[in-house]
Amino acid sequence: MSAHCQLTGRRPGFGNTISHSHRRTGRRFDPNIQRKRYWLPSEGRYVRLTLSAKGVKTVDVIGIEAAVARIRARGEKV
């Protein structure tokens, strides 16, 4: 599963871990990605979305229909 949110577009960030001796080694900051299943009434089926925690909250506010419309507007298949 790729670590990106279908709704908000959040992807991993990259940076460095700095040790006590100040050596720098590369690291990756992954978003909090969850797979959630939502009922889509207009199509009469469930859709499974890969969302960040912020994306899940956004769906709760705007609704699943509007969220799927935004995802499709970005060109992603649902």
Side-chain angles (χ1 to χ4, degrees):
M1 170 172 61
S2 65
H4 84 280
C5 177
Q6 289 180 293
L7 183 59
T8 62
R10 289 183 185 226
R11 293 186 176 275
F14 295 89
N16 290 308
T17 298
I18 303 179
S19 69
H20 180 69
S21 65
H22 220 63
R23 281 182 65 102
R24 291 179 166 100
T25 54
R27 64 159 294 181
R28 179 173 151 151
F29 295 90
D30 284 325
N32 184 5
I33 297 295
Q34 310 293 326
R35 280 183 62 90
K36 293 257 318 164
R37 193 175 84 141
Y38 290 99
W39 175 252
L40 195 58
S42 63
E43 297 181 16
R45 68 184 182 103
Y46 285 99
V47 292
R48 190 176 298 276
L49 300 177
T50 304
L51 300 171
S52 62
K54 171 114 180 176
V56 172
K57 294 175 190 176
T58 303
V59 170
D60 291 343
V61 172
I62 67 173
I64 186 62
E65 298 287 345
V68 168
R70 281 190 195 178
I71 293 170
R72 288 185 173 148
R74 289 181 48 214
E76 285 197 48
K77 187 179 172 191
V78 176

